[in-house]
């Protein structure tokens, strides 16, 4: 018979599993219906639970969206950190660039989350507090690009600050073209464009 001391741990694992089931279901609904048309009722139906089972964790669909995006950004940060640790100074920038692009190229849903594409192209947010937290998470990822640039190039902090945003903008634009299949229609390949960018960067 399990001891009473083991029950809290088991309950925590069950709660974490149920919360993740809601998140997974919500992601599928966001992909299918978009943020605007998604309802808590639809998420509950997809997750196989009642709407009342969702509210202990999430106040609404925007909170769920924010949780999905925050987890995605945390995974991106860990992915970039591992790439940075594995690279020497000479290849740090190239490694970070390919790691960032590769992460989103292989994860269309994460890219759509990050670009808020599930709610169209309108400049809508998720509320001031959540937007600030998510922006801070994103900034940490962009800063990792800057740190890699600084390892490869002997630039001042001010130059790195500008160049990391230029790089981030370039990568997100390239990813958008990749995921909308515009690169192929233009007769371009993402890997070739990335290599050209890295080569030009290293020659500066």
């Amino acid at each position: 018979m399990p001891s009473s001391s083991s029950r809290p741990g088991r309950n925590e694992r069950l709660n974490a599993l149920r919360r993740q089931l809601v998140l997974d279901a919500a992601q599928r609904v966001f992909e299918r219906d978009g943020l605007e048309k998604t309802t808590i009722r639809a998420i509950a139906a997809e997750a196989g639970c009642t709407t009342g089972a969702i509210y202990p964790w999430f106040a609404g669909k925007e909170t769920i969206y924010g949780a999905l995006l925050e987890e995605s950004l945390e995974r991106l940060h860990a992915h970039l950190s591992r790439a940075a640790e594995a690279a020497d100074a000479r290849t740090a920038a190239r490694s970070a660039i390919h790691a960032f692009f590769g992460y989103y190229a292989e994860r269309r849903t994460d890219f759509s989350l990050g670009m808020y594409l599930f709610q169209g192209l309108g400049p809508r947010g998720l509320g001031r507090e959540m937007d600030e937290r998510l922006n801070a998470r994103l900034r940490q990822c962009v800063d990792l690009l800057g740190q890699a640039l600084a390892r490869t190039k002997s630039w001042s902090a001010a130059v790195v600050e500008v160049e990391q945003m230029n790089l981030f903008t370039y990568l997100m634009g390239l990813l958008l073209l990749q995921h909308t299949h515009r690169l192929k229609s233009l007769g371009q390949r993402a890997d070739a464009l990335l290599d050209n960018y890295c080569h030009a960067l290293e020659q500066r």
Side-chain angles (χ1 to χ4, degrees), residues 35-88:
L35 180 57
E36 285 292 317
K37 295 181 180 178
T38 291
T39 63
I40 290 293
R41 187 182 298 277
I43 293 172
E46 183 73 20
C49 67
T50 64
T51 56
I54 293 177
Y55 287 115
W57 296 300
F58 305 107
K61 64 181 181 180
E62 290 81 6
T63 312
I64 300 175
Y65 192 100
L68 286 168
L69 179 50
E70 187 165 21
E71 288 184 359
S72 173
L73 291 172
E74 287 172 356
R75 291 192 297 270
L76 172 62
H77 191 275
H79 182 72
L80 292 175
S81 295
R82 288 192 296 271
E85 290 169 3
D88 57 27

Side-chain angles (χ1 to χ4, degrees), residues 144-165:
L144 285 179
L145 292 176
Q147 291 167 26
L149 289 172
R151 288 182 63 199
T152 298
K153 307 295 295 184
S154 56
W155 288 335
S156 69
V159 172
V160 169
E161 181 77 14
V162 172
E163 291 296 333
Q164 73 182 31
M165 286 308 302

Side-chain angles (χ1 to χ4, degrees), residues 59-150:
K61 64 181 181 180
E62 290 81 6
T63 312
I64 300 175
Y65 192 100
L68 286 168
L69 179 50
E70 187 165 21
E71 288 184 359
S72 173
L73 291 172
E74 287 172 356
R75 291 192 297 270
L76 172 62
H77 191 275
H79 182 72
L80 292 175
S81 295
R82 288 192 296 271
E85 290 169 3
D88 57 27
R90 183 178 58 84
T91 61
R94 181 179 288 266
S95 177
I97 289 168
H98 280 275
F100 188 101
F101 183 88
Y103 177 86
Y104 277 131
E106 296 169 6
R107 297 169 178 84
R108 184 187 182 100
T109 297
D110 285 63
F111 180 72
S112 294
L113 279 168
M115 294 287 280
Y116 287 32
L117 295 182
F118 291 146
Q119 58 178 347
L121 295 177
R124 295 184 289 275
L126 300 170
R128 180 176 177 180
E129 183 178 342
M130 188 178 297
D131 284 343
E132 288 178 352
R133 187 171 74 246
L134 293 171
N135 287 338
R137 294 280 190 191
L138 177 59
R139 181 62 194 228
Q140 291 171 353
C141 296
V142 176
D143 285 345
L144 285 179
L145 292 176
Q147 291 167 26
L149 289 172

